[in-house]
Protein backbone atom coordinates (compact mmCIF):
# COMPACT_ATOMS: atom_id res chain seq x y z
CA UNK A 1 0.00 0.00 0.00
CA UNK A 2 1.56 3.30 -1.03
CA UNK A 3 1.57 6.57 0.92
CA UNK A 4 -1.22 8.03 -1.18
CA UNK A 5 -3.59 5.25 -0.26
CA UNK A 6 -2.79 5.56 3.41
CA UNK A 7 -3.58 9.26 3.35
CA UNK A 8 -7.13 8.63 2.17
CA UNK A 9 -9.77 6.29 3.55
CA UNK A 10 -8.40 2.82 3.02
CA UNK A 11 -11.58 1.60 1.31
CA UNK A 12 -11.45 4.22 -1.44
CA UNK A 13 -10.52 2.44 -4.64
CA UNK A 14 -9.95 -0.69 -2.56
CA UNK A 15 -10.96 -4.33 -2.89
CA UNK A 16 -12.77 -6.15 -0.10
CA UNK A 17 -13.36 -9.87 0.04
CA UNK A 18 -16.23 -11.66 1.74
CA UNK A 19 -15.14 -14.86 3.44
CA UNK A 20 -18.07 -17.14 4.18
CA UNK A 21 -16.19 -18.93 6.94
CA UNK A 22 -18.13 -22.20 6.98
CA UNK A 23 -17.29 -22.82 3.35
CA UNK A 24 -13.75 -21.52 3.28
CA UNK A 25 -11.42 -24.13 4.83
CA UNK A 26 -12.09 -26.81 7.43
CA UNK A 27 -9.05 -27.38 9.65
CA UNK A 28 -10.59 -29.59 12.34
CA UNK A 29 -12.29 -32.16 10.15
CA UNK A 30 -15.91 -31.45 11.06
CA UNK A 31 -16.99 -30.53 7.54
CA UNK A 32 -17.35 -26.82 8.33
CA UNK A 33 -14.82 -24.09 7.68
CA UNK A 34 -13.38 -22.31 10.70
CA UNK A 35 -11.27 -19.33 11.81
CA UNK A 36 -7.96 -21.22 11.72
CA UNK A 37 -8.95 -22.01 8.13
CA UNK A 38 -9.28 -18.32 7.38
CA UNK A 39 -5.87 -17.79 8.94
CA UNK A 40 -4.35 -20.57 6.84
CA UNK A 41 -5.44 -18.87 3.65
CA UNK A 42 -4.46 -15.30 4.52
CA UNK A 43 -1.44 -15.58 2.26
CA UNK A 44 -3.74 -16.42 -0.61
CA UNK A 45 -5.78 -13.28 0.07
CA UNK A 46 -2.56 -11.27 0.35
CA UNK A 47 -1.44 -12.73 -3.00
CA UNK A 48 -4.75 -11.62 -4.48
CA UNK A 49 -3.94 -8.27 -2.83
CA UNK A 50 -7.27 -7.53 -1.24
CA UNK A 51 -7.35 -4.66 1.25
CA UNK A 52 -9.83 -6.10 3.68
CA UNK A 53 -11.96 -9.10 4.48
CA UNK A 54 -15.53 -9.23 5.73
CA UNK A 55 -16.10 -12.35 7.79
CA UNK A 56 -19.54 -13.97 7.81
CA UNK A 57 -20.96 -14.16 11.37
CA UNK A 58 -18.44 -15.19 13.98
CA UNK A 59 -20.53 -14.93 17.13
CA UNK A 60 -22.07 -17.79 19.14
CA UNK A 61 -25.35 -18.90 17.63
CA UNK A 62 -27.67 -21.92 17.47
CA UNK A 63 -27.19 -21.61 13.69
CA UNK A 64 -30.81 -21.68 12.69
CA UNK A 65 -29.71 -19.01 10.21
CA UNK A 66 -25.99 -19.84 10.21
CA UNK A 67 -24.85 -17.21 12.66
CA UNK A 68 -27.44 -14.55 11.83
CA UNK A 69 -29.21 -15.66 15.00
CA UNK A 70 -26.76 -14.40 17.59
CA UNK A 71 -26.87 -15.68 21.16
CA UNK A 72 -23.83 -13.75 22.44
CA UNK A 73 -22.54 -10.59 20.79
CA UNK A 74 -19.26 -10.60 22.69
CA UNK A 75 -17.97 -14.04 21.85
CA UNK A 76 -16.81 -16.35 19.10
CA UNK A 77 -18.79 -19.36 17.95
CA UNK A 78 -16.99 -22.41 19.42
CA UNK A 79 -17.41 -24.33 16.16
CA UNK A 80 -15.49 -21.60 14.37
CA UNK A 81 -12.74 -21.12 16.93
CA UNK A 82 -11.94 -18.94 19.91
CA UNK A 83 -11.60 -15.27 20.69
CA UNK A 84 -7.85 -15.86 20.61
CA UNK A 85 -8.14 -17.23 17.09
CA UNK A 86 -10.00 -14.12 16.03
CA UNK A 87 -7.48 -11.81 17.70
CA UNK A 88 -4.65 -13.67 16.00
CA UNK A 89 -6.43 -13.50 12.68
CA UNK A 90 -6.80 -9.73 12.96
CA UNK A 91 -3.13 -9.38 13.87
CA UNK A 92 -1.96 -11.68 11.07
CA UNK A 93 -4.19 -9.89 8.57
CA UNK A 94 -2.70 -6.56 9.68
CA UNK A 95 0.80 -7.89 8.99
CA UNK A 96 -0.39 -8.46 5.43
CA UNK A 97 -1.97 -4.98 5.18
CA UNK A 98 -5.48 -6.35 5.38
CA UNK A 99 -8.29 -5.11 7.60
CA UNK A 100 -10.94 -7.34 9.12
CA UNK A 101 -14.65 -6.50 9.24
CA UNK A 102 -17.10 -8.45 11.36
CA UNK A 103 -20.74 -9.08 10.62
CA UNK A 104 -23.00 -7.34 13.14
CA UNK A 105 -26.65 -8.34 13.46
CA UNK A 106 -28.59 -5.57 15.22
CA UNK A 107 -32.07 -6.21 13.83
CA UNK A 108 -32.72 -9.38 15.80
CA UNK A 109 -31.21 -11.85 18.21
CA UNK A 110 -31.59 -15.57 18.54
CA UNK A 111 -34.41 -16.56 20.87
CA UNK A 112 -31.60 -18.39 22.70
CA UNK A 113 -29.99 -15.04 23.57
CA UNK A 114 -30.20 -14.48 27.37
CA UNK A 115 -32.09 -11.20 26.71
CA UNK A 116 -34.88 -13.06 24.97
CA UNK A 117 -34.86 -15.98 27.39
CA UNK A 118 -35.43 -13.45 30.17
CA UNK A 119 -37.92 -11.39 28.13
CA UNK A 120 -40.16 -14.37 27.52
CA UNK A 121 -40.27 -15.20 31.23
CA UNK A 122 -43.08 -12.71 31.85
CA UNK A 123 -44.58 -9.35 30.94
CA UNK A 124 -42.69 -7.65 33.78
CA UNK A 125 -39.30 -9.12 32.96
CA UNK A 126 -36.31 -6.76 32.79
CA UNK A 127 -35.62 -7.38 29.11
CA UNK A 128 -39.23 -7.54 27.91
CA UNK A 129 -38.92 -4.15 26.22
CA UNK A 130 -35.83 -5.26 24.27
CA UNK A 131 -38.16 -7.01 21.83
CA UNK A 132 -41.27 -6.06 19.87
CA UNK A 133 -44.32 -7.43 21.69
CA UNK A 134 -47.94 -6.79 20.76
CA UNK A 135 -51.39 -7.96 21.76
CA UNK A 136 -53.42 -9.99 19.28
CA UNK A 137 -55.44 -8.05 16.69
CA UNK A 138 -58.91 -7.03 17.95
CA UNK A 139 -60.56 -10.09 16.35
CA UNK A 140 -57.64 -12.33 17.42
CA UNK A 141 -54.63 -13.40 15.38
CA UNK A 142 -51.39 -11.58 14.56
CA UNK A 143 -51.25 -7.82 15.27
CA UNK A 144 -50.34 -6.88 11.65
CA UNK A 145 -50.12 -8.48 8.21
CA UNK A 146 -46.30 -8.39 8.29
CA UNK A 147 -44.56 -11.38 6.75
CA UNK A 148 -41.31 -13.01 7.75
CA UNK A 149 -38.56 -14.07 5.35
CA UNK A 150 -40.21 -17.45 4.82
CA UNK A 151 -43.51 -15.90 3.73
CA UNK A 152 -45.40 -16.71 6.93
CA UNK A 153 -46.67 -14.27 9.56
CA UNK A 154 -43.83 -12.32 11.17
CA UNK A 155 -45.51 -12.73 14.56
CA UNK A 156 -45.13 -15.71 16.91
CA UNK A 157 -47.59 -16.22 19.73
CA UNK A 158 -46.30 -16.60 23.26
CA UNK A 159 -48.95 -18.63 25.07
CA UNK A 160 -47.72 -17.76 28.54
CA UNK A 161 -48.14 -14.00 28.19
CA UNK A 162 -50.85 -13.97 25.54
CA UNK A 163 -48.78 -11.65 23.38
CA UNK A 164 -47.01 -11.97 20.04
CA UNK A 165 -43.37 -11.21 19.42
CA UNK A 166 -42.05 -10.01 16.09
CA UNK A 167 -39.60 -11.95 13.91
CA UNK A 168 -38.86 -10.61 10.47
CA UNK A 169 -36.79 -13.71 9.68
CA UNK A 170 -37.25 -17.11 11.41
CA UNK A 171 -39.37 -17.47 14.55
CA UNK A 172 -36.09 -18.13 16.39
CA UNK A 173 -34.80 -14.68 15.33
CA UNK A 174 -36.72 -12.21 17.49
CA UNK A 175 -36.63 -8.60 16.32
CA UNK A 176 -35.10 -6.14 18.73
CA UNK A 177 -37.10 -3.09 19.78
CA UNK A 178 -35.05 -0.05 18.80
CA UNK A 179 -37.55 2.25 20.49
CA UNK A 180 -35.98 0.97 23.73
CA UNK A 181 -32.98 3.17 24.74
CA UNK A 182 -31.32 0.28 26.58
CA UNK A 183 -30.96 -1.57 23.26
CA UNK A 184 -28.97 1.40 21.93
CA UNK A 185 -26.73 1.27 24.98
CA UNK A 186 -26.12 -2.48 24.57
CA UNK A 187 -25.04 -2.03 20.96
CA UNK A 188 -22.78 0.90 21.77
CA UNK A 189 -20.96 -1.44 24.13
CA UNK A 190 -20.85 -4.20 21.52
CA UNK A 191 -19.31 -1.83 18.98
CA UNK A 192 -16.74 -0.64 21.46
CA UNK A 193 -15.89 -4.18 22.56
CA UNK A 194 -14.89 -5.17 19.03
CA UNK A 195 -13.33 -1.86 18.04
CA UNK A 196 -11.16 -2.15 21.15
CA UNK A 197 -9.95 -5.52 19.85
CA UNK A 198 -8.75 -3.94 16.61
CA UNK A 199 -11.62 -4.78 14.28
CA UNK A 200 -11.61 -2.34 11.34
CA UNK A 201 -15.36 -2.17 11.17
CA UNK A 202 -18.65 -3.92 10.66
CA UNK A 203 -20.92 -5.07 7.91
CA UNK A 204 -24.33 -4.23 9.31
CA UNK A 205 -26.96 -6.87 8.70
CA UNK A 206 -30.45 -5.70 7.65
CA UNK A 207 -29.50 -2.04 8.06
CA UNK A 208 -32.87 -0.97 6.72
CA UNK A 209 -34.66 -2.98 9.36
CA UNK A 210 -33.98 -1.75 12.87
CA UNK A 211 -36.93 0.49 13.78
CA UNK A 212 -40.49 -0.71 13.16
CA UNK A 213 -43.54 1.48 12.82
CA UNK A 214 -44.56 2.76 16.26
CA UNK A 215 -48.25 2.38 15.34
CA UNK A 216 -47.76 -1.11 13.90
CA UNK A 217 -49.57 -0.31 10.65
CA UNK A 218 -50.10 -3.01 8.02
CA UNK A 219 -47.64 -3.18 5.14
CA UNK A 220 -49.29 -2.24 1.84
CA UNK A 221 -49.21 -4.47 -1.24
CA UNK A 222 -46.15 -3.87 -3.37
CA UNK A 223 -46.56 -2.45 -6.85
CA UNK A 224 -43.53 -4.49 -7.97
CA UNK A 225 -43.72 -7.95 -6.47
CA UNK A 226 -40.09 -9.08 -6.98
CA UNK A 227 -37.57 -9.93 -4.30
CA UNK A 228 -35.92 -6.53 -4.40
CA UNK A 229 -39.09 -4.50 -4.00
CA UNK A 230 -41.31 -6.71 -1.93
CA UNK A 231 -41.58 -9.42 0.64
CA UNK A 232 -43.98 -11.99 -0.74
CA UNK A 233 -46.06 -9.23 -2.34
CA UNK A 234 -45.94 -6.70 0.50
CA UNK A 235 -43.91 -3.51 0.53
CA UNK A 236 -42.00 -3.34 3.80
CA UNK A 237 -43.09 0.19 4.55
CA UNK A 238 -43.91 -0.31 8.23
CA UNK A 239 -42.19 -3.58 9.17
CA UNK A 240 -38.84 -2.03 8.14
CA UNK A 241 -37.47 1.03 6.34
CA UNK A 242 -38.42 3.48 9.06
CA UNK A 243 -36.62 6.83 9.05
CA UNK A 244 -35.78 6.60 12.76
CA UNK A 245 -33.03 4.03 12.01
CA UNK A 246 -30.83 6.82 10.68
CA UNK A 247 -30.35 8.11 14.21
CA UNK A 248 -28.70 4.79 15.12
CA UNK A 249 -26.17 5.12 12.32
CA UNK A 250 -25.37 8.73 13.21
CA UNK A 251 -24.68 7.55 16.74
CA UNK A 252 -22.55 4.60 15.57
CA UNK A 253 -20.63 6.79 13.16
CA UNK A 254 -19.57 8.98 16.09
CA UNK A 255 -18.41 5.93 18.02
CA UNK A 256 -16.61 4.60 14.95
CA UNK A 257 -14.81 7.85 14.30
CA UNK A 258 -13.90 8.26 17.95
CA UNK A 259 -11.52 5.36 17.25
CA UNK A 260 -10.30 6.58 13.89
CA UNK A 261 -11.63 7.96 10.62
CA UNK A 262 -10.29 4.71 9.15
CA UNK A 263 -12.83 2.51 10.95
CA UNK A 264 -15.74 1.53 8.80
CA UNK A 265 -19.48 0.83 8.80
CA UNK A 266 -20.73 -1.00 5.71
CA UNK A 267 -24.47 -1.50 5.51
CA UNK A 268 -26.48 -4.34 4.09
CA UNK A 269 -28.95 -1.78 2.78
CA UNK A 270 -31.47 -4.02 1.05
CA UNK A 271 -33.51 -1.29 -0.62
CA UNK A 272 -34.83 -1.05 -4.14
CA UNK A 273 -33.67 2.38 -5.30
CA UNK A 274 -30.23 4.01 -5.34
CA UNK A 275 -31.55 7.17 -3.67
CA UNK A 276 -32.94 5.15 -0.77
CA UNK A 277 -29.57 3.44 -0.46
CA UNK A 278 -27.79 6.79 -0.58
CA UNK A 279 -29.93 7.99 2.34
CA UNK A 280 -27.93 5.64 4.59
CA UNK A 281 -24.89 7.84 4.05
CA UNK A 282 -26.82 10.70 5.70
CA UNK A 283 -24.91 13.94 5.28
CA UNK A 284 -21.68 11.97 5.30
CA UNK A 285 -22.42 11.21 8.97
CA UNK A 286 -23.97 7.71 8.83
CA UNK A 287 -22.66 4.61 7.05
CA UNK A 288 -19.54 5.13 4.95
CA UNK A 289 -20.39 2.28 2.59
CA UNK A 290 -23.67 0.69 1.49
CA UNK A 291 -24.31 -2.43 -0.56
CA UNK A 292 -26.02 -1.62 -3.83
CA UNK A 293 -28.89 -4.10 -4.30
CA UNK A 294 -30.42 -2.31 -7.32
CA UNK A 295 -27.10 -2.96 -9.08
CA UNK A 296 -26.92 -6.58 -7.90
CA UNK A 297 -30.43 -7.29 -9.17
CA UNK A 298 -30.02 -5.42 -12.46
CA UNK A 299 -30.07 -7.35 -15.73
CA UNK A 300 -26.70 -8.12 -17.25
CA UNK A 301 -27.04 -5.58 -20.03
CA UNK A 302 -25.11 -2.43 -20.73
CA UNK A 303 -28.06 -0.04 -20.35
CA UNK A 304 -29.34 -1.66 -17.15
CA UNK A 305 -25.98 -1.65 -15.39
CA UNK A 306 -24.84 1.72 -16.71
CA UNK A 307 -28.20 3.15 -15.72
CA UNK A 308 -27.87 2.03 -12.10
CA UNK A 309 -24.29 3.28 -11.96
CA UNK A 310 -25.41 6.71 -13.16
CA UNK A 311 -28.32 6.78 -10.72
CA UNK A 312 -26.09 5.67 -7.85
CA UNK A 313 -23.44 8.28 -8.49
CA UNK A 314 -26.07 10.99 -8.82
CA UNK A 315 -27.78 9.91 -5.60
CA UNK A 316 -24.72 9.68 -3.33
CA UNK A 317 -23.85 12.83 -1.41
CA UNK A 318 -20.62 14.48 -2.59
CA UNK A 319 -17.53 12.66 -1.41
CA UNK A 320 -19.36 9.43 -0.55
CA UNK A 321 -17.95 6.18 -1.85
CA UNK A 322 -20.03 3.69 -3.89
CA UNK A 323 -19.72 -0.08 -3.54
CA UNK A 324 -19.78 -2.56 -6.41
CA UNK A 325 -20.43 -6.22 -5.78
CA UNK A 326 -22.41 -8.85 -7.61
CA UNK A 327 -22.55 -11.92 -5.38
CA UNK A 328 -23.08 -12.73 -1.73
CA UNK A 329 -24.32 -15.59 0.42
CA UNK A 330 -28.00 -14.68 -0.07
CA UNK A 331 -28.23 -14.63 -3.84
CA UNK A 332 -27.21 -16.64 -6.86
CA UNK A 333 -23.53 -16.19 -7.78
CA UNK A 334 -23.03 -13.76 -10.66
CA UNK A 335 -21.19 -16.23 -12.94
CA UNK A 336 -24.50 -18.15 -12.89
CA UNK A 337 -27.04 -15.36 -12.47
CA UNK A 338 -25.49 -12.96 -14.96
CA UNK A 339 -23.25 -15.35 -16.85
CA UNK A 340 -25.30 -18.55 -17.15
CA UNK A 341 -21.99 -20.36 -16.62
CA UNK A 342 -20.41 -18.67 -19.67
CA UNK A 343 -16.93 -17.72 -18.49
CA UNK A 344 -16.72 -14.80 -20.95
CA UNK A 345 -19.56 -13.11 -19.10
CA UNK A 346 -17.98 -13.72 -15.70
CA UNK A 347 -14.75 -12.13 -16.94
CA UNK A 348 -16.64 -9.18 -18.35
CA UNK A 349 -18.49 -8.69 -15.08
CA UNK A 350 -15.21 -8.75 -13.14
CA UNK A 351 -13.63 -6.23 -15.50
CA UNK A 352 -16.54 -3.85 -15.00
CA UNK A 353 -16.84 -4.35 -11.24
CA UNK A 354 -13.13 -3.73 -10.77
CA UNK A 355 -13.07 -0.54 -12.82
CA UNK A 356 -16.01 1.31 -11.33
CA UNK A 357 -15.07 4.07 -8.90
CA UNK A 358 -15.31 3.30 -5.19
CA UNK A 359 -15.05 -0.03 -3.38
CA UNK A 360 -15.09 -3.41 -5.11
CA UNK A 361 -16.30 -6.36 -3.02
CA UNK A 362 -15.62 -9.93 -4.08
CA UNK A 363 -17.52 -12.89 -2.69
CA UNK A 364 -15.35 -15.96 -2.12
CA UNK A 365 -15.07 -17.93 -5.35
CA UNK A 366 -15.94 -14.97 -7.59
CA UNK A 367 -12.28 -14.78 -8.52
CA UNK A 368 -12.33 -18.29 -10.01
CA UNK A 369 -15.81 -17.77 -11.52
CA UNK A 370 -17.38 -20.34 -9.22
CA UNK A 371 -20.95 -21.00 -10.21
CA UNK A 372 -24.02 -21.96 -8.20
CA UNK A 373 -24.20 -25.58 -7.13
CA UNK A 374 -27.43 -27.46 -7.60
CA UNK A 375 -27.97 -28.64 -4.02
CA UNK A 376 -30.53 -31.46 -3.88
CA UNK A 377 -33.40 -30.78 -1.44
CA UNK A 378 -32.21 -33.49 0.97
CA UNK A 379 -28.85 -31.75 1.38
CA UNK A 380 -30.12 -28.19 1.81
CA UNK A 381 -29.10 -26.42 4.99
CA UNK A 382 -30.78 -23.04 4.73
CA UNK A 383 -33.96 -23.06 6.76
CA UNK A 384 -35.16 -19.70 5.53
CA UNK A 385 -35.42 -20.70 1.90
CA UNK A 386 -36.18 -24.38 2.34
CA UNK A 387 -38.89 -24.06 4.99
CA UNK A 388 -40.60 -21.12 3.37
CA UNK A 389 -43.26 -20.58 0.78
CA UNK A 390 -40.70 -20.16 -1.93
CA UNK A 391 -37.90 -17.83 -2.73
CA UNK A 392 -34.60 -18.77 -4.25
CA UNK A 393 -32.44 -21.25 -2.40
CA UNK A 394 -29.38 -19.73 -0.81
CA UNK A 395 -27.37 -22.94 -0.31
CA UNK A 396 -26.37 -22.96 -3.97
CA UNK A 397 -24.11 -19.95 -3.38
CA UNK A 398 -22.69 -21.17 -0.05
CA UNK A 399 -20.91 -24.37 -1.10
CA UNK A 400 -17.27 -25.06 -0.18
CA UNK A 401 -14.51 -23.08 -1.84
CA UNK A 402 -12.74 -24.91 -4.64
CA UNK A 403 -9.09 -24.89 -3.65
CA UNK A 404 -8.10 -27.73 -5.94
CA UNK A 405 -9.45 -30.52 -8.12
CA UNK A 406 -9.18 -33.26 -5.46
CA UNK A 407 -12.28 -35.12 -4.21
CA UNK A 408 -12.50 -32.79 -1.19
CA UNK A 409 -11.75 -29.69 -3.27
CA UNK A 410 -8.95 -28.99 -0.77
CA UNK A 411 -11.65 -27.86 1.66
CA UNK A 412 -11.47 -30.62 4.24
CA UNK A 413 -9.78 -33.92 5.02
CA UNK A 414 -10.50 -37.00 2.96
CA UNK A 415 -13.52 -38.92 4.16
CA UNK A 416 -15.10 -35.93 5.90
CA UNK A 417 -18.50 -35.05 4.48
CA UNK A 418 -18.65 -31.32 3.75
CA UNK A 419 -21.60 -29.40 5.17
CA UNK A 420 -22.75 -28.63 1.62
CA UNK A 421 -21.81 -30.46 -1.60
CA UNK A 422 -18.81 -29.34 -3.63
CA UNK A 423 -20.26 -29.10 -7.12
CA UNK A 424 -17.87 -29.30 -10.05
CA UNK A 425 -14.36 -28.37 -8.93
CA UNK A 426 -12.55 -29.81 -11.95
CA UNK A 427 -11.30 -26.56 -13.47
CA UNK A 428 -12.81 -23.73 -11.51
CA UNK A 429 -10.38 -24.15 -8.63
CA UNK A 430 -7.53 -22.08 -7.24
CA UNK A 431 -4.72 -24.59 -7.84
CA UNK A 432 -5.56 -25.02 -11.52
CA UNK A 433 -5.90 -21.32 -12.13
CA UNK A 434 -3.13 -19.85 -10.03
CA UNK A 435 -0.32 -20.80 -12.38
CA UNK A 436 -2.26 -20.23 -15.56
CA UNK A 437 -1.81 -16.65 -16.79
CA UNK A 438 -4.91 -17.05 -18.96
CA UNK A 439 -7.19 -18.00 -16.02
CA UNK A 440 -10.02 -15.98 -14.49
CA UNK A 441 -8.12 -15.96 -11.21
CA UNK A 442 -5.09 -14.33 -12.78
CA UNK A 443 -7.33 -11.86 -14.58
CA UNK A 444 -9.01 -10.99 -11.30
CA UNK A 445 -5.68 -10.53 -9.56
CA UNK A 446 -4.45 -8.32 -12.40
CA UNK A 447 -7.64 -6.27 -12.20
CA UNK A 448 -7.16 -5.75 -8.47
CA UNK A 449 -3.57 -4.65 -9.03
CA UNK A 450 -4.58 -2.34 -11.85
CA UNK A 451 -7.31 -0.65 -9.84
CA UNK A 452 -4.96 -0.21 -6.89
CA UNK A 453 -2.40 1.47 -9.15
CA UNK A 454 -4.92 3.51 -11.10
CA UNK A 455 -7.18 4.80 -8.36
CA UNK A 456 -6.31 3.25 -5.02
CA UNK A 457 -6.87 5.76 -2.23
CA UNK A 458 -9.32 7.82 -4.27
CA UNK A 459 -12.90 7.79 -5.38
CA UNK A 460 -12.15 8.09 -9.07
CA UNK A 461 -14.31 10.16 -11.37
CA UNK A 462 -16.62 8.33 -13.77
CA UNK A 463 -18.08 9.44 -17.07
CA UNK A 464 -20.11 7.35 -19.45
CA UNK A 465 -19.34 7.87 -23.12
CA UNK A 466 -21.84 7.51 -25.93
CA UNK A 467 -21.48 4.35 -27.97
CA UNK A 468 -23.24 1.77 -30.11
CA UNK A 469 -26.04 -0.28 -28.50
CA UNK A 470 -24.86 -3.03 -26.23
CA UNK A 471 -21.49 -1.41 -25.65
CA UNK A 472 -20.74 0.24 -22.33
CA UNK A 473 -17.91 2.71 -22.67
CA UNK A 474 -16.77 4.85 -19.78
CA UNK A 475 -13.88 6.74 -18.40
CA UNK A 476 -12.66 6.36 -14.85
CA UNK A 477 -9.95 8.90 -14.16
CA UNK A 478 -7.29 8.16 -16.76
CA UNK A 479 -8.72 4.84 -17.85
CA UNK A 480 -11.02 4.13 -20.74
CA UNK A 481 -13.17 1.01 -20.47
CA UNK A 482 -15.09 -0.53 -23.34
CA UNK A 483 -17.30 -3.53 -22.57
CA UNK A 484 -19.29 -5.45 -25.13
CA UNK A 485 -22.46 -6.78 -23.52
CA UNK A 486 -23.69 -8.53 -26.63
CA UNK A 487 -23.19 -11.85 -28.36
CA UNK A 488 -22.03 -10.03 -31.53
CA UNK A 489 -18.80 -8.25 -32.38
CA UNK A 490 -19.15 -4.49 -31.88
CA UNK A 491 -17.06 -1.85 -33.57
CA UNK A 492 -15.90 0.85 -31.20
CA UNK A 493 -16.46 4.45 -32.10
CA UNK A 494 -13.81 5.76 -29.71
CA UNK A 495 -10.15 5.24 -30.47
CA UNK A 496 -8.57 2.76 -28.09
CA UNK A 497 -5.00 3.58 -27.25
CA UNK A 498 -2.69 1.25 -25.41
CA UNK A 499 -4.67 -1.55 -23.82
CA UNK A 500 -3.62 -2.25 -20.23
CA UNK A 501 -5.77 -5.31 -19.67
CA UNK A 502 -8.56 -7.12 -21.44
CA UNK A 503 -10.95 -9.87 -20.41
CA UNK A 504 -8.31 -12.22 -21.84
CA UNK A 505 -5.66 -10.81 -19.48
CA UNK A 506 -2.47 -9.16 -20.68
CA UNK A 507 -3.26 -9.97 -24.32
CA UNK A 508 -6.01 -8.62 -26.57
CA UNK A 509 -6.00 -11.74 -28.69
CA UNK A 510 -9.52 -12.92 -29.31
CA UNK A 511 -10.84 -9.70 -27.75
CA UNK A 512 -9.92 -6.67 -29.85
CA UNK A 513 -9.24 -6.75 -33.54
CA UNK A 514 -8.82 -3.45 -35.42
CA UNK A 515 -11.29 -1.56 -33.29
CA UNK A 516 -13.82 -4.38 -33.03
CA UNK A 517 -14.58 -5.99 -29.69
CA UNK A 518 -15.46 -9.69 -29.72
CA UNK A 519 -18.76 -10.81 -28.09
CA UNK A 520 -18.84 -10.57 -24.28
CA UNK A 521 -15.38 -9.08 -23.97
CA UNK A 522 -13.95 -5.85 -22.68
CA UNK A 523 -10.78 -3.82 -22.55
CA UNK A 524 -9.18 -1.30 -20.24
CA UNK A 525 -7.02 1.22 -22.01
CA UNK A 526 -5.20 4.33 -21.05
CA UNK A 527 -7.40 7.27 -21.90
CA UNK A 528 -6.06 9.56 -24.60
CA UNK A 529 -7.23 13.07 -23.63
CA UNK A 530 -7.14 14.51 -27.13
CA UNK A 531 -9.58 11.87 -28.37
CA UNK A 532 -12.42 11.93 -25.89
CA UNK A 533 -12.45 15.43 -24.43
C1 LIG B 1 -29.12 -10.84 5.81
C2 LIG B 1 -28.12 -11.94 5.83
O1 LIG B 1 -27.17 -11.70 4.82
C3 LIG B 1 -28.89 -13.22 5.66
O2 LIG B 1 -28.05 -14.31 5.41
C4 LIG B 1 -29.73 -13.41 6.89
O3 LIG B 1 -30.56 -14.55 6.72
C5 LIG B 1 -30.63 -12.21 7.15
N1 LIG B 1 -29.96 -10.97 6.95
C6 LIG B 1 -31.15 -12.23 8.56
O4 LIG B 1 -30.12 -11.94 9.45
Amino acid sequence: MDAKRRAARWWHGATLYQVYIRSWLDTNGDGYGDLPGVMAKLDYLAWLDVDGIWLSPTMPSPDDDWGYDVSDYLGVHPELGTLDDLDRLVAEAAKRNMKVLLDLVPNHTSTAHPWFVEAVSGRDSAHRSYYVWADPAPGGGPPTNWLDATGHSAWAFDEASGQYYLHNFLASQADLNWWEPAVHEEFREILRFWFDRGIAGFRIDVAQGLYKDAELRDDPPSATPDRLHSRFGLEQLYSANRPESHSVFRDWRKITESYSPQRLLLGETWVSEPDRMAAFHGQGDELQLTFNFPFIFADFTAPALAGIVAETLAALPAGECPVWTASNHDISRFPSRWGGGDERKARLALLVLATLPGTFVLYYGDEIAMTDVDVPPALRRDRITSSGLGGDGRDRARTPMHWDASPTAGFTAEGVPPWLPYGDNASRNVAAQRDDPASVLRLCRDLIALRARAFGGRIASYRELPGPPGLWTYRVDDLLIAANFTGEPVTLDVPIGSVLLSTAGATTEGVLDRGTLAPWTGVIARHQPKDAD
Side-chain angles (χ1 to χ4, degrees), residues 65 68 108 169 203 205-206 268 329-330 384 394 398:
D65 188 17
Y68 288 103
H108 45 267
F169 292 87
R203 175 266 190 186
D205 191 58
V206 199
E268 187 212 16
H329 60 289
D330 293 329
I384 288 195
R394 302 189 296 184
R398 298 177 175 181

Side-chain angles (χ1 to χ4, degrees), residues 314-399:
L316 283 176
E320 292 299 300
C321 183
V323 176
W324 309 107
T325 191
S327 299
N328 67 41
H329 60 289
D330 293 329
I331 54 177
S332 161
R333 289 176 175 275
F334 77 77
S336 295
R337 194 180 74 251
W338 278 350
D342 181 340
E343 196 179 292
R344 293 174 306 171
K345 296 182 187 173
R347 286 170 179 260
L348 186 62
L350 285 169
L351 182 133
V352 164
L353 287 160
T355 52
L356 290 172
T359 309
F360 169 34
V361 185
L362 280 163
Y363 182 50
Y364 82 97
D366 281 353
E367 73 276 30
I368 51 170
M370 252 176 89
T371 49
D372 291 343
V373 173
D374 187 14
V375 181
L379 298 182
R380 293 196 187 147
R381 308 298 303 272
D382 174 29
R383 291 197 196 177
I384 288 195
T385 52
S386 50
S387 70
L389 299 178
D392 298 326
R394 302 189 296 184
D395 292 307
R396 59 185 170 171
R398 298 177 175 181
T399 57

Side-chain angles (χ1 to χ4, degrees), residues 136-340:
T144 68
N145 69 347
W146 300 352
L147 296 176
D148 75 7
T150 74
H152 298 101
S153 172
W155 296 96
F157 192 58
D158 169 43
E159 296 277 349
S161 66
Q163 284 195 307
Y164 285 86
Y165 69 86
L166 180 67
H167 57 88
N168 262 312
F169 292 87
L170 293 170
S172 55
Q173 293 169 290
D175 275 55
L176 284 161
N177 173 21
W178 281 88
W179 294 99
E180 167 55 65
V183 169
H184 292 242
E185 203 37 60
E186 298 279 7
F187 273 84
R188 288 184 191 114
E189 277 174 32
I190 293 164
L191 254 66
R192 290 193 194 104
F193 176 85
W194 292 109
F195 276 142
D196 284 341
R197 302 193 87 86
I199 296 297
F202 298 94
R203 175 266 190 186
I204 312 218
D205 191 58
V206 199
Q208 79 285 359
L210 314 190
Y211 273 85
K212 319 299 182 267
D213 182 42
E215 296 169 40
L216 300 183
R217 282 170 281 188
D218 276 356
D219 277 336
S222 169
T224 322
D226 62 22
R227 190 173 171 203
L228 179 60
H229 294 81
S230 90
R231 176 167 274 190
F232 299 97
L234 294 181
E235 184 191 345
Q236 289 201 281
L237 187 59
Y238 298 115
S239 55
N241 296 304
R242 303 312 299 158
E244 292 84 3
S245 298
H246 293 284
S247 67
V248 177
F249 302 129
R250 282 193 290 274
D251 183 36
W252 290 4
R253 177 67 174 268
K254 284 190 200 120
I255 296 174
T256 303
E257 301 222 326
S258 74
Y259 283 83
S260 149
Q262 300 290 354
R263 304 279 179 119
L264 174 63
L265 301 172
L266 159 61
E268 187 212 16
T269 42
W270 190 299
V271 293
S272 52
E273 315 299 333
D275 56 347
R276 293 177 57 202
M277 180 198 84
F280 287 89
H281 292 250
Q283 305 299 314
D285 56 356
E286 295 187 29
L287 307 177
Q288 293 103 323
L289 294 180
T290 50
F291 276 122
N292 192 332
F293 285 89
F295 180 83
I296 290 172
F297 281 104
D299 289 340
F300 194 59
T301 67
L305 294 171
I308 301 282
V309 169
E311 270 184 68
T312 301
L313 298 178
L316 283 176
E320 292 299 300
C321 183
V323 176
W324 309 107
T325 191
S327 299
N328 67 41
H329 60 289
D330 293 329
I331 54 177
S332 161
R333 289 176 175 275
F334 77 77
S336 295
R337 194 180 74 251
W338 278 350

Side-chain angles (χ1 to χ4, degrees), residues 35 74-76 81-88 193-194 197:
L35 286 170
L74 305 181
V76 166
T82 63
L83 201 50
D84 273 357
D85 289 330
L86 186 54
D87 287 343
R88 264 201 306 278
F193 176 85
W194 292 109
R197 302 193 87 86

